[in-house]
Amino acid sequence: VTFPVVGVVGGGQLARMLQPPAVALGVRLALLASSPDEAAAQVIPATTVGDEKAYDDLLAFAKSCDVLTFDHEQVPSEHLRGLVEAGIAVRPGPDALVHAQDKGVMRARLFELGIPCPRHRIVEDPDAAASFAAEVVGWPLVLKPVRGGYDGKGVWTIESPADRAIGQPFLAGVDVLAEERVGLVRELSAVVARSPQGQAVAYPVVESFQENGICVEVVAPAPGLSDDVAREAQRIALKIAAELDVVGVLAVELFETPAGGLLVNELAMRPHNTGHWSIDGAVTSQFENHLRAVLDLPLGSPRAVAPWSVMVNVLGGGLEETFSAYRHVLARDPGLKVHWYGKSVRPGRKVGHVTVVGSNLDSARDRARHAAAYLRGDIDE
Ligand SMILES: Nc1ncnc2c1ncn2[C@@H]1O[C@H](COP(=O)(O)OP(=O)(O)O)[C@@H](O)[C@H]1O
Ligand SMILES: [Mg+2]
């Protein structure tokens, strides 16, 4: 019996974290990366270096794989459609993936499905954005080019009509999504996985914390979330996965409003930062379930193995040489798990994460925050 080859486009940390469950299952990964130094290229021997946005490179790579999936959403839709026509199994498919690539398409589709989103309008120039604010949502106004953003790059908050930054988002050369700045209580994320047959599983709904638009911390499950709201978040995510025919992991980023309502912010169709806790904190990680889903295997249980999991991202900071920090961090807390991405340390870049799983939320959070701060070089004891 031959085991299948899963081709992953994009060499970041998400592709890298697919490798341990692939090893466990005996599934082979092949990688298309833009450089041999990338996070995933370091751990996947079958790496092809090529241009992830060039059709010929994608096709040549895909032909050596049984199924194609993604580390990121940057592959052009027309290339993906070409691959499907060439007989390649692309999962998620281009018609699903476009909703994670284009915030305008995503909002229009969610509106059709009756799923609540922030009030918004697609605008073509700063004047149209200013009119939308003046007439509908007021100031401050949030502007996002419909394509290309991640980690808060591509989110502008415009304080008033006099704020000259209002022109900036339009320089990206694509339409811009203008929306109300939501007076949110907190941010939640509902991660689900779905297979081509339509089997789906929903992870516990988590709370995520961002700084400067970057996710810094995730608590699973979201503390104090009512069963009703948790179920509603999972229902929304499962409905989106089914209606959009998503295959693999779908993460639905949500805003919780003061009235206890939910608004969908955006979608990701790949393992997501708000699901990293599941490596250590769930029966089946989001990475394993992504692999199972794209291979059309039965999905694993998404159940948490402990009452709380806290994941804290390590963002690049002052410490250049991290390995020497392991001695202290690992000795101090034998229950802690460190995940390192093998990326060069640059300020604000996600270079790793730590997870603590346990029965006491406050202590799990303190321990995870301490380790992340130490690995980052913010503290030295
Ligand atoms: N309309 C909004 N109102 C309030 N906060 C927002 C709004 N849109 C985005 N944000 C904040 O910015 C973060 C990043 O925005 P998002 O649209 O998710 O872009 P990215 O693609 O960079 O993740 C969100 O997680 C949230 O903290
Ligand atoms: Mg986001």
Side-chain angles (χ1 to χ4, degrees), residues 103 107 118 142 144 149-155 179-184 187 208 210 213-214 253 255 265-266:
K103 289 178 160 115
R107 287 292 174 80
V142 175
K144 308 172 183 178
Y150 70 99
D151 282 352
K153 299 180 184 70
V155 179
E179 63 186 25
E180 64 179 307
R181 184 160 79 182
V182 177
L184 52 99
E187 295 186 51
S208 72
Q210 350 288 319
I214 303 185
E253 296 180 9
F255 297 147
N265 176 37
E266 65 164 347

Side-chain angles (χ1 to χ4, degrees), residues 110 115 236-246 250 252 264 267:
L110 295 187
I115 291 171
I236 288 171
L238 290 167
K239 175 168 178 172
I240 293 171
E243 294 282 351
L244 271 48
D245 197 18
V246 177
L250 167 73
V252 180
V264 172
L267 310 179

Side-chain angles (χ1 to χ4, degrees), residues 275-293:
H276 290 359
W277 68 275
S278 65
I279 299 173
D280 304 300
V283 174
T284 316
S285 78
Q286 63 165 348
F287 296 97
E288 176 165 350
N289 266 335
H290 188 75
L291 285 178
R292 292 192 191 202

Side-chain angles (χ1 to χ4, degrees), residues 15-80:
R16 180 181 171 108
M17 288 186 271
L18 286 172
Q19 183 67 314
V23 169
L25 291 169
V27 167
R28 291 174 295 157
L29 294 187
L31 182 72
L32 181 64
S34 54
S35 122
D37 309 323
E38 280 188 293
Q42 296 166 26
V43 302
I44 301 176
T47 291
T48 303
V49 175
D51 182 352
E52 298 152 22
K53 291 182 180 163
Y55 182 70
D56 292 344
D57 286 13
L58 287 162
L59 182 64
F61 171 71
K63 281 186 168 159
S64 67
C65 307
D66 294 290
V67 52
L68 203 66
T69 190
F70 308 94
D71 165 88
H72 58 65
E73 285 123 1
Q74 311 302 330
V75 180
S77 300
E78 62 268 23
H79 291 356
L80 299 177

Side-chain angles (χ1 to χ4, degrees), residues 144-149 153-154 156 167-176:
K144 308 172 183 178
V146 293
R147 283 179 178 262
K153 299 180 184 70
W156 276 267
Q168 292 293 320
F170 296 89
L171 302 178
V174 294
D175 283 347
V176 170

Side-chain angles (χ1 to χ4, degrees), residues 93-178:
D95 295 334
L97 200 60
V98 68
H99 300 90
Q101 295 175 310
D102 187 310
K103 289 178 160 115
V105 174
M106 176 266 294
R107 287 292 174 80
R109 185 82 170 101
L110 295 187
F111 181 79
E112 280 174 22
L113 294 173
I115 291 171
C117 297
R119 288 175 296 163
H120 63 278
R121 182 182 289 171
I122 302 296
V123 293
E124 287 173 1
D125 56 43
D127 285 345
S131 310
F132 176 63
E135 292 159 18
V136 186
V137 294
W139 305 89
L141 180 69
V142 175
L143 297 179
K144 308 172 183 178
V146 293
R147 283 179 178 262
Y150 70 99
D151 282 352
K153 299 180 184 70
V155 179
W156 276 267
T157 301
I158 311 299
E159 295 299 333
S160 75
D163 187 339
R164 298 188 52 170
I166 195 166
Q168 292 293 320
F170 296 89
L171 302 178
V174 294
D175 283 347
V176 170
L177 174 69

